Amino acid sequence: MSDDEPRWLTPPESEAWLALARMLLRLPAALDTQLQRDQGITHFEYRVLAGLSMSPEHNLRMSELALFAEGSLSRLSHVVKRLERRGWVYRVPDPADGRYTRAYLTDEGMTKVVEAAPGHVAEVRRLVFDALTGTQQKHLHEIGRRINNAIGPEDTFPGQ
């Protein structure tokens, strides 16, 4: 085999890849469904609210929040605008450097994320952890870590 020829997946690799690809598509949709049904928010909106709730003083630069939520600044800006209309978040120029914008979680936003968290965690437990043994959960952690490292260096969320 020359270096120019593709390294095709073996049948077991192909089966593993197809299972992973299917899960990568289905799991976010299932999490969205639960959060929209029970709380009227998307999974991405929940991640934004959760990121702010876990940060010191419940605020972050928009660029840091985008890293946590795994979204572009453009997408985050649109979502934060929706969350602002609901009274859950507000934005102001960063007092340390006015070139940046900080997003702040309001008391109403904290109430919303606290209300949403139990149902979200129950759905994550039902869909992911209840389906796996303890050993499989450890393997899942290691597999996720290795794949994330192969994708590239991870920007870390402040406080992690």
Side-chain angles (χ1 to χ4, degrees), residues 34-54:
Q34 179 272 317
L35 284 164
Q36 287 182 13
R37 179 190 66 231
D38 297 347
Q39 296 295 325
I41 60 175
T42 67
H43 187 238
F44 190 77
E45 290 169 332
Y46 176 81
R47 296 247 334 144
V48 170
L49 294 172
L52 290 170
S53 75
M54 293 186 290

Side-chain angles (χ1 to χ4, degrees), residues 10-11 25 27 57 59-60 77 93 99 110 123 125 128 131 136 148:
T10 65
L25 294 170
L27 184 58
E57 300 178 31
N59 73 88
L60 287 169
S77 182
R99 296 175 297 172
M110 180 60 92
E123 190 71 347
R125 179 169 297 290
V128 179
Q136 289 169 328
N148 281 318

Side-chain angles (χ1 to χ4, degrees), residues 21-96:
R22 189 165 190 231
M23 183 215 49
L24 290 172
L25 294 170
R26 294 183 74 208
L27 184 58
L31 295 174
D32 250 358
T33 297
Q34 179 272 317
L35 284 164
Q36 287 182 13
R37 179 190 66 231
D38 297 347
Q39 296 295 325
I41 60 175
T42 67
H43 187 238
F44 190 77
E45 290 169 332
Y46 176 81
R47 296 247 334 144
V48 170
L49 294 172
L52 290 170
S53 75
M54 293 186 290
S55 65
E57 300 178 31
H58 307 301
N59 73 88
L60 287 169
R61 281 186 175 172
M62 291 286 285
S63 54
E64 296 170 331
L65 187 53
L67 286 173
F68 175 80
E70 297 285 342
S72 68
L73 275 173
S74 175
R75 181 181 185 199
L76 178 65
S77 182
H78 290 295
V79 167
V80 167
K81 190 178 291 185
R82 281 197 311 266
L83 298 176
E84 282 180 311
R85 284 194 297 262
R86 292 175 167 183
W88 298 337
V89 173
Y90 67 93
R91 290 179 281 188
V92 296
D94 189 325

